[in-house]
Amino acid sequence: MEFPLVELVKRYSIPAIEQVVIASVIETWHNPIRVVMVDGVDVSEAWYGRDPKPTLIPESVQIPMSEVARLAAG
């Protein structure tokens, strides 16, 4: 099973984003899922604080705490 954060991002965040987003799962405890492409533009340099830094719409997504707790419990 993936980290709860990965599952939450896949189920809630990515579908809510208006742009076409491609994410990558990375074997790390810190930010295990990261956006690689936004509307066909490689934004992986933003992982290191470099440009291009995408602006995603919406800026935030609300996830029910019950779902966060369920996934965290495994």
Side-chain angles (χ1 to χ4, degrees):
M1 181 177 174
E2 295 180 328
F3 295 114
L5 177 62
V6 172
E7 192 62 31
L8 290 167
V9 168
K10 285 182 175 180
R11 286 188 192 185
Y12 292 95
S13 297
I14 292 175
I17 295 171
E18 293 179 14
Q19 296 96 326
V20 175
V21 173
I22 298 174
S24 180
V25 176
I26 300 169
E27 300 222 6
T28 178
W29 285 92
H30 178 71
N31 294 335
I33 186 166
R34 301 177 188 189
V35 173
V36 179
M37 304 276 292
V38 176
D39 287 339
V41 176
D42 183 345
V43 296
S44 59
E45 288 296 313
W47 300 356
Y48 309 103
R50 297 187 286 262
D51 290 330
K53 296 176 187 159
T55 300
L56 300 178
I57 301 168
E59 289 184 12
S60 65
V61 175
Q62 292 188 358
I63 302 172
M65 185 49 108
S66 58
E67 183 66 2
V68 174
R70 186 185 71 75
L71 286 172

